[in-house]
């Protein structure tokens, strides 16, 4: 837990914090755009009232110029909002991919590429929500495995684990769930 699970939790928390920042940025930008549109709407009401009172040419020109300025300001704010939303949407997609990758790594044994114990638990839960079907559950251990590492080194021991994982995987066929649950132990469903 201290050396593996905490790393996964820290990674998830970092991604979640960044997602929260993106959501806050979108919320702030949207609020600013909403305020700008509110001011624009109030300005339109003011211009309407002014035109109803003063209908001379100079008043109309002044209202039209002010209206054009306000419209440009709202257009700029809308463009800013669109750009901000596009950038934040892209960032959210990137973070989603990063989170999915971190979750995949947290559920996969990096040496063999098989599911790890956590990955097997999630896969069983997701694949069989109403319970396990009839079948066989095998626990496989490599006898005398410690002597391989002690006598020939950890590099060879790792190669043995990878080879055994491939052999079991090929023998089990598709549809079987195979996981390395620790050390030289495998579970096959």
């Amino acid at each position: 837990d201290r050396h593996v699970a905490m790393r996964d939790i820290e990674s998830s928390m970092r991604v979640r914090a960044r997602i929260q920042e993106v959501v806050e940025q979108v919320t702030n930008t949207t609020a600013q755009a909403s305020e700008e549109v509110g001011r624009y709407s109030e300005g339109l009401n003011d211009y309407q009232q002014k035109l109803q009172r003063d209908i001379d040419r100079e008043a109309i020109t002044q209202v039209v110029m002010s209206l054009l300025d306000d419209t440009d300001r709202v257009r700029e704010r809308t463009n800013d909002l669109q750009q901000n939303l596009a950038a934040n949407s892209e960032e959210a997609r990137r973070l989603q991919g990063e989170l999915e990758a971190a979750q995949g790594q947290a559920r996969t044994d990096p040496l063999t590429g098989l599911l790890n114990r956590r990955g097997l638990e999630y896969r069983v839960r997701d694949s069989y929500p109403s319970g396990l079907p009839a079948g066989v559950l095998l626990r496989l251990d490599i006898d005398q495995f410690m002597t391989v590492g002690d006598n020939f080194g950890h590099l060879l021991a790792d190669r043995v684990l990878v080879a055994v994982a491939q052999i079991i995987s090929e023998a089990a066929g598709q549809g079987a769930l195979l996981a390395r649950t620790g050390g030289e132990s495998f579970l096959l469903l």
Side-chain angles (χ1 to χ4, degrees):
D1 279 347
R2 193 173 70 215
H3 297 291
V4 178
M6 288 308 293
R7 189 186 77 212
D8 297 336
I9 291 169
E10 289 168 1
S11 176
S12 293
M13 290 180 73
R14 183 180 49 77
V15 170
R16 286 187 181 131
R18 183 62 188 121
I19 289 172
Q20 183 63 35
E21 289 174 18
V22 168
V23 168
E24 288 174 8
Q25 287 175 351
V26 169
T27 301
N28 290 339
T29 304
T30 304
Q32 291 171 356
S34 178
E35 288 173 13
E36 187 70 37
V37 168
R39 285 192 294 272
Y40 183 69
S41 178
E42 289 172 7
L44 289 177
N45 288 336
D46 290 344
Y47 297 141
Q48 181 182 16
Q49 290 173 3
K50 188 168 188 171
L51 287 174
Q52 287 173 349
R53 287 186 308 236
D54 302 324
I55 307 206
D56 67 13
R57 184 177 203 118
E58 188 175 318
I60 292 173
T61 302
Q62 191 177 45
V63 167
V64 169
M65 295 305 290
S66 296
L67 186 57
L68 289 173
D69 288 343
D70 289 351
T71 301
D72 284 342
R73 217 175 16 262
V74 169
R75 184 179 300 126
E76 287 174 18
R77 175 52 76 196
T78 302
N79 286 339
D80 290 346
L81 176 62
Q82 288 173 333
Q83 290 174 356
N84 190 294
L85 288 175
N88 285 323
S89 178
E90 181 59 36
E91 176 72 358
R93 279 192 291 277
R94 187 191 66 73
L95 289 169
Q96 180 67 29
E98 188 176 319
L99 186 58
E100 288 172 6
Q103 288 173 337
Q105 290 171 351
R107 296 177 185 170
T108 304
D109 174 49
L111 180 64
T112 62
L114 298 176
L115 295 172
N116 62 19
R117 186 158 150 185
R118 181 186 297 166
L120 181 66
E121 289 172 3
Y122 278 101
R123 183 73 59 86
V124 166
R125 186 195 67 205
D126 293 345
S127 298
Y128 308 106
S130 59
L132 289 174
V136 176
L137 177 66
L138 298 175
R139 179 172 179 214
L140 307 161
D141 287 310
I142 303 172
D143 290 337
Q144 308 298 319
F145 182 72
M146 293 299 285
T147 60
V148 173
D150 292 343
N151 294 329
F152 302 103
H154 295 291
L155 240 43
L156 182 65
D158 286 350
R159 292 172 103 183
V160 168
L161 286 171
V162 170
V164 168
Q166 288 176 336
I167 291 167
I168 296 170
S169 183
E170 289 170 7
Q174 275 188 296
L177 291 178
L178 176 60
R180 178 175 171 219
T181 55
E184 74 279 4
S185 297
F186 298 88
L187 277 179
L188 174 63
L189 175 64

